[in-house]
């Protein structure tokens, strides 16, 4: 069974949860879905996957919905009208007009983004070890085709 090991609360009092698989050896694989609340399939599939008792070969960490406020409203953005995908502190981050692609007032301004950054930093233990981060589009095919009792090849 997956276990919720970390949580944060959004501006609208929704929870963003990090789950860990029972298999704690092997590669660390972080799977994140629900960055855009109007793209709900990844969140739905990961939520189902977490509830099933499926074995896996690696140490899976799953955030089934990083944007529960947007998910609840079926909106791309969070409750601050920020596109979380554009809120990460990248070299090319820039302040843009406030539309559906608005990246925030400054990099990592959003609680949800800070949560993901913190998890990535903790999983890497401050080292340059390789972290596999799969967005819901990449792992969607594998998760969608699983059958109860089969191993996910992650």
């Amino acid at each position: 069974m997956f276990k919720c090991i970390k949580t944060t609360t959004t501006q609208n009092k929704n929870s963003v949860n990090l789950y860990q698989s029972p298999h704690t050896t092997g590669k660390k694989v972080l799977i994140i879905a629900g960055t855009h609340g109007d793209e709900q399939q990844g969140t739905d599939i990961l939520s189902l996957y977490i509830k099933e008792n499926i074995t896996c070969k690696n140490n899976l960490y799953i955030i089934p919905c990083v944007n529960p406020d947007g998910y609840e409203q079926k909106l791309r953005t969070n409750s601050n009208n920020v596109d979380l995908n554009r809120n990460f502190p990248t070299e090319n981050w820039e302040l843009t007009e406030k539309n559906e692609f608005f990246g925030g007032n400054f990099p990592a301004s959003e609680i949800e983004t800070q949560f993901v950054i913190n998890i990535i930093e903790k999983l890497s233990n401050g080292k340059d070890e390789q972290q596999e981060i799969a967005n819901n589009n990449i792992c969607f095919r594998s998760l969608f085709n699983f059958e109860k009792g089969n191993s996910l090849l992650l």
Side-chain angles (χ1 to χ4, degrees):
M1 298 283 296
F2 277 81
K3 178 179 165 186
C4 183
I5 60 169
K6 190 170 177 91
T7 191
T8 194
T9 305
T10 66
Q11 183 172 325
N12 284 358
K13 308 297 183 218
N14 288 310
S15 294
V16 180
N17 299 310
L18 172 67
Y19 294 89
Q20 184 179 17
S21 66
H23 189 87
T24 57
T25 59
K27 278 189 220 174
K28 294 177 186 174
V29 180
L30 175 60
I31 304 171
I32 301 170
T35 303
H36 298 140
D38 60 348
E39 298 169 359
Q40 300 191 339
Q41 300 87 347
T43 294
D44 296 343
I45 293 295
L46 284 178
S47 296
L48 176 63
Y49 182 77
I50 288 169
K51 291 176 186 170
E52 296 292 328
N53 190 18
I54 298 172
T55 59
C56 52
K57 297 180 180 183
N58 291 300
N59 189 1
L60 295 183
Y61 295 87
I62 297 176
I63 303 173
C65 188
V66 77
N67 182 8
D69 295 349
Y71 182 90
E72 187 175 76
Q73 307 258 329
K74 295 186 177 158
L75 296 173
R76 177 183 181 91
T77 59
N78 71 356
S79 58
N80 293 326
N81 298 314
V82 173
D83 181 343
L84 296 176
N85 200 41
R86 300 181 193 297
N87 188 239
F88 286 87
T90 60
E91 289 180 18
N92 64 344
W93 185 94
E94 61 182 40
L95 185 60
T96 61
E97 63 181 275
K98 293 186 177 184
N99 59 26
E100 69 177 319
F101 303 110
F102 177 58
N105 289 318
F106 54 90
S109 59
E110 303 307 297
I111 293 167
E112 302 91 337
T113 307
Q114 294 167 18
F115 183 73
V116 172
I117 290 170
N118 180 268
I119 289 165
I120 292 170
E121 288 172 351
K122 286 203 185 319
L123 289 178
S124 67
N125 297 319
K127 301 175 186 171
D128 289 334
E129 67 185 41
Q130 181 179 354
Q131 298 296 313
E132 294 190 27
I133 301 172
N135 71 26
N136 57 308
N137 294 324
I138 294 170
C139 63
F140 187 73
R141 290 185 305 268
S142 299
L143 292 172
F144 188 72
N145 292 317
F146 78 84
E147 292 180 25
K148 192 170 183 178
N150 288 350
S151 292
L152 179 65
L153 300 175
L154 284 178

